Amino acid sequence: MGKMNHPGYDIPRPTKRQYYEVCDKLVSRLMESGEMGLSLMGHGSFFRDGDCNFGVSDQDFF
Amino acid sequence: MIFPECFVTDKKLFRQISVVFADALGDKKIKLQVCPLDLGVAKDGRFNSLTEDFRNHLSSDAKILVGPDYRDRINYFRFKDSTEGVLSHNLRKARLSILLSEHNRRNDYGEFLNKFDTLLSAVSGVPKQIMYLIDRNLRASRFSSLEILSSTFPNLDIEPLERIKWLYNNHIEYDGVYHNPEELVDFSMDALGFFENVIKSYVGKFPLGKNRK
């Protein structure tokens, strides 16, 4: 089997901490951009407390 | 993510946000599901990829992370014409491919190219799909609607679509774009702009009927 870069196969699955880092960085950078009127919402399991399977779940933005 | 413009998004902003996504994700393998919309498409609803089922879900579950809360300005439909559904899906796909283009370029160049191919395929199908919504004539070839599209929407710039057609027939140049990521992103932006302008022109010429549910 060759290298695939697939989490859980030949690279580690993302951690809970990494999920929060991605979200925090995304939000802070978008806020810093100062783009008036741009809207970002989060929904799905990551934004429902206790419902996210870290390492498997997607992060949903709308 | 909702852009404040109506129908035609600011491509400079799109590129900035693509870098923001790339920086935030880094090399982390977290799958992001993003639904990029603009206020024009959101309010009209016919080319909004979210259907009525999402109304309650977003009302109760969504958290506003950045900017205004536009949820009460979004029009959802329970049922849509299948061609409206295809265009809605492809518009989302085209925008998403550009939003994640910088991340893919840095981390997975093959995926970067795949998304470019997908974008061109989606955009080149727009004329025959939009013309089908207008006259219900099914056209086999994706580029066979160029002339009628131009005559239906005389102010529409079809040059980006002619460039896609040219690229499809000139593989050496197509392959050359693969090796020039800046040109590839510029090409993608123009293609998306064409898609958005078609939707804007269509909605302007054929406003949403009051009885549409």
Side-chain angles (χ1 to χ4, degrees), chain B residues 13 16 33 82 93 111 121 131 141 170 173 183 186:
Chain B
L13 176 61
Q16 285 172 358
Q33 295 289 338
S82 62
K93 205 161 56 173
E111 184 68 0
S121 178
M131 288 312 303
S141 164
N170 293 276
E173 283 76 10
E183 186 183 358
D186 286 344

Side-chain angles (χ1 to χ4, degrees), chain B residues 15-144:
Chain B
R15 190 173 273 238
Q16 285 172 358
I17 294 175
S18 177
V19 172
V20 169
F21 270 98
D23 290 346
L25 267 169
D27 58 358
K28 301 175 191 76
K29 297 289 182 181
I30 297 173
K31 287 182 187 167
L32 297 190
Q33 295 289 338
V34 189
C35 181
L37 267 181
D38 65 86
L39 265 184
V41 165
K43 285 195 274 190
D44 180 83
R46 285 174 285 181
F47 303 102
N48 171 9
S49 59
L50 301 178
T51 52
E52 174 69 28
D53 304 327
F54 275 85
R55 185 194 300 272
N56 290 340
H57 167 65
L58 291 178
S59 293
S60 59
D61 265 26
K63 292 183 177 172
I64 307 299
L65 303 171
V66 178
D69 182 355
Y70 291 127
R71 282 177 292 185
D72 62 352
R73 297 169 74 173
I74 302 172
N75 198 9
Y76 307 89
F77 291 110
R78 180 162 300 283
F79 302 106
K80 284 204 279 194
D81 183 288
S82 62
T83 304
E84 288 175 351
V86 170
L87 284 161
S88 307
H89 174 71
N90 285 346
L91 180 60
R92 177 189 177 229
K93 205 161 56 173
R95 286 172 164 171
L96 186 56
S97 75
I98 296 180
L99 271 188
L100 296 180
S101 63
E102 181 61 22
H103 170 71
N104 288 330
R105 189 183 68 79
R106 291 181 193 176
N107 294 281
D108 187 344
Y109 204 83
E111 184 68 0
F112 178 65
L113 301 182
N114 286 338
K115 295 295 183 192
F116 177 62
D117 290 343
T118 303
L119 172 76
L120 296 196
S121 178
V123 173
S124 58
V126 169
K128 73 172 188 176
Q129 288 154 356
I130 213 80
M131 288 312 303
Y132 180 76
L133 282 180
I134 295 168
D135 62 16
R136 297 293 167 185
N137 284 326
L138 196 60
R139 293 161 178 89
S141 164
R142 64 180 65 219
F143 295 110
S144 61

